[in-house]
Amino acid sequence: MQSLRLTDIIYNFGDLFGSYMDNKRRKFNLFYAALLLAGALSTPAPAQQTEYYRVTGGRGTPLLADDNTRNRIQVYLVYGMENVQISYTSPSTAHEWCRYRTRPDLNDPDRVTSVQNGTTSTITDVEDGCGYYVDEGSMRRYVWIIDYSKYEFNIRRFNVMPDFNECVGIRFDGDADLEDMTYYTPSGVPEKVKRVFELSYETLKWNGETGRFSPEHVSKSFDTHPFATSFMPSASPELDFPLLLTDTEITLTGDAFARHFGVEKSATIPAYEARAIELHADTVMSLSGAAAGGGADAPEGELQAPAHITFTAHVNKPVASLVTWKIFRDENPSPDVLFNAETLEYTFDRNGKYRITVETGNRSGGCVEEYSFDIAITETVMEIPNAFSPGVTPGINDIFRVNCKSVMNFRGRIFNRWGTELFYWTDPSQGWDGKYRGNYVPAGAYYYLIEYTGTDGRKGVRKGDVNVFRTRGRDAGPGTAEQEPQL
């Protein structure tokens, strides 16, 4: 039994009773009532493809290649016209079959003889490249027959297009039988049945978590002409073809209709030499000396000297054959550093703005990729506290520590009033805990002398006093208060 769509029922209901209405308003009201009634009585069902006509014959099983619901026509492919038949079933027991080639003539239709068996009728005089329908008024639906054996995909030559930019993708050239399979809608508009092909090759895929490339097999379908399509990365999933980042075999297979009928063809480029390259770069930073004092408080993109950074480039070897690092300072057009290797270790010991670029090229030199970093090394800063309270509030202002940025060759000394050196240090991230020979020194004024070299090469000396605050009962033991320490 033929399935009827809800919209067909509604429109026929309106047409049937509309002629009895006196005005358009009453006709609309009846139509609207029918719509509500049909909606209330209908049960939602999952969407599925409905075959209004049953096509048999030819070699293998006929294939529904295009279900053009908007134009109420279904296109079937058969392989050969031998014993091809079309059947149709509906509540009626008297079907009138018609045929058309470009557009149905509803006033003078081209009628076709059929055999009626109850509510099912069948035609056997079926022609390739024609449309058929059973004339049932507004319920009319159409079917088109194409003999695929006349349009079978056959490829004789398959190669890479030489003039295409293989740095961004790949395009193919060749010689093949790819005649358009055209049908006509009931309104006389020509439409093409889309062929579906498959392209297969090997490539490499970057894994950001592991920091390396790994092999990937690509096998993707597409419905455009294989010799008029650029295969390259795209934001659209159906058009997204990863770059060929390694030497590989490339195979074109098609089309899906040929696969259905068991006559699928394929062509192979056995040894494609990849040209596209892909570059990823990362950094590992180790801050020492004055730079370590900045930590997380350093502005984004701004570092303290000396900043030791390891730059690493990841490329799809062996296609990408050379990696070059360049370091430019303060917009100088000539690089301060030029280094050919995948890994560059460099210590930034001068203030300024830097641009670090990494460039790689393929084996033939025809493709180039570049990546850049921008960093800034801060001006020399030296901030020295004037008081602290060792041993009073652990973890809170209990260490005499300088805050410095972009400082090299740091040396600091602490003296008492008699000129005795109590503490010496060279790491500005460290500091004096207020002790001498294991005991806290008494409260009072002590003196510091700090010598350093800034990243600009200038030497500096800072000296002054720092006050040690102590609470009662926490002063140093006997022999230290207000006495010259015994060395």
Side-chain angles (χ1 to χ4, degrees), residues 321-326 337-344 359:
S321 60
L322 178 65
V323 176
T324 301
W325 290 93
K326 298 178 184 179
V337 175
L338 181 63
F339 189 71
N340 293 323
E342 293 178 33
T343 300
L344 167 65
E359 181 181 286

Side-chain angles (χ1 to χ4, degrees), residues 10 13 22 53 88 93 143 249 270 288 312 324 329 390 401 469 481:
I10 294 172
F13 186 81
D22 296 333
Y53 293 89
Y88 179 77
T93 58
V143 61
E249 177 181 275
S288 60
T312 304
T324 301
R329 180 173 180 264
R401 183 184 291 115
F469 292 112

Side-chain angles (χ1 to χ4, degrees), residues 105-371:
D105 186 348
L106 301 181
N107 296 320
D108 185 20
D110 180 10
R111 300 197 182 278
V112 180
T113 302
S114 65
V115 176
Q116 189 81 33
N117 184 9
T119 58
T120 299
S121 60
T122 303
I123 60 172
T124 57
D125 185 20
V126 180
E127 296 182 22
D128 169 44
C130 289
Y132 295 86
Y133 62 95
V134 173
D135 194 354
E136 287 191 323
S138 61
M139 298 301 296
R140 191 182 300 116
R141 294 190 176 279
Y142 302 82
V143 61
W144 189 278
I145 303 298
I146 296 178
D147 181 1
Y148 180 74
S149 66
K150 298 179 179 179
Y151 301 90
E152 186 176 334
F153 172 63
N154 185 32
I155 187 166
R156 290 173 289 276
R157 180 172 56 85
F158 177 54
N159 55 266
V160 176
M161 182 178 289
D163 297 330
F164 189 74
N165 182 7
E166 295 173 52
C167 303
V168 298
I170 195 168
R171 194 169 177 132
F172 301 106
D173 193 6
D175 180 22
D177 295 327
L178 277 174
E179 186 178 349
D180 290 338
M181 292 184 287
T182 303
Y183 67 94
Y184 288 85
T185 67
S187 58
V189 177
E191 299 276 359
K192 295 178 182 179
V193 177
K194 289 186 176 181
R195 299 175 185 261
V196 177
F197 299 91
E198 187 177 85
L199 186 68
S200 302
Y201 55 90
E202 304 297 325
T203 187
L204 299 175
K205 184 177 182 179
W206 172 251
N207 187 322
E209 294 183 359
T210 62
R212 63 182 62 185
F213 288 93
S214 57
E216 180 184 38
H217 176 73
V218 176
S219 183
K220 293 199 64 173
S221 299
F222 61 98
D223 60 5
T224 53
H225 196 297
F227 303 149
T229 302
S230 299
F231 299 93
M232 60 180 61
S234 170
S236 177
E238 62 273 13
L239 300 176
D240 182 31
F241 282 82
L243 288 173
L244 285 78
L245 299 177
T246 188
D247 297 344
T248 180
E249 177 181 275
I250 304 173
T251 301
L252 173 67
T253 306
D255 53 24
F257 306 137
R259 178 178 298 176
H260 173 82
F261 291 114
V263 292
E264 185 178 50
K265 303 293 193 308
S266 64
T268 299
I269 299 173
Y272 171 71
E273 185 176 288
R275 290 171 173 77
I277 55 178
E278 188 169 301
L279 166 66
H280 299 269
D282 57 34
T283 63
V284 176
M285 187 181 312
S286 59
L287 305 181
S288 60
D297 295 330
E300 183 177 356
E302 189 174 81
L303 306 176
Q304 303 172 33
H308 182 78
I309 304 179
T310 301
F311 300 94
T312 304
H314 306 275
V315 296
N316 55 312
K317 298 184 294 185
V319 180
S321 60
L322 178 65
V323 176
T324 301
W325 290 93
K326 298 178 184 179
I327 299 180
F328 301 86
R329 180 173 180 264
D330 292 336
E331 300 183 355
N332 187 345
S334 300
D336 289 5
V337 175
L338 181 63
F339 189 71
N340 293 323
E342 293 178 33
T343 300
L344 167 65
E345 296 185 6
Y346 189 76
T347 299
F348 296 86
D349 56 6
R350 293 187 298 165
N351 65 296
K353 294 182 179 180
Y354 292 83
R355 166 154 287 195
I356 302 91
T357 65
V358 56
E359 181 181 286
T360 185
N362 65 5
R363 293 168 291 198
S364 63
C367 301
V368 176
E369 284 286 313
E370 183 178 290
Y371 192 85

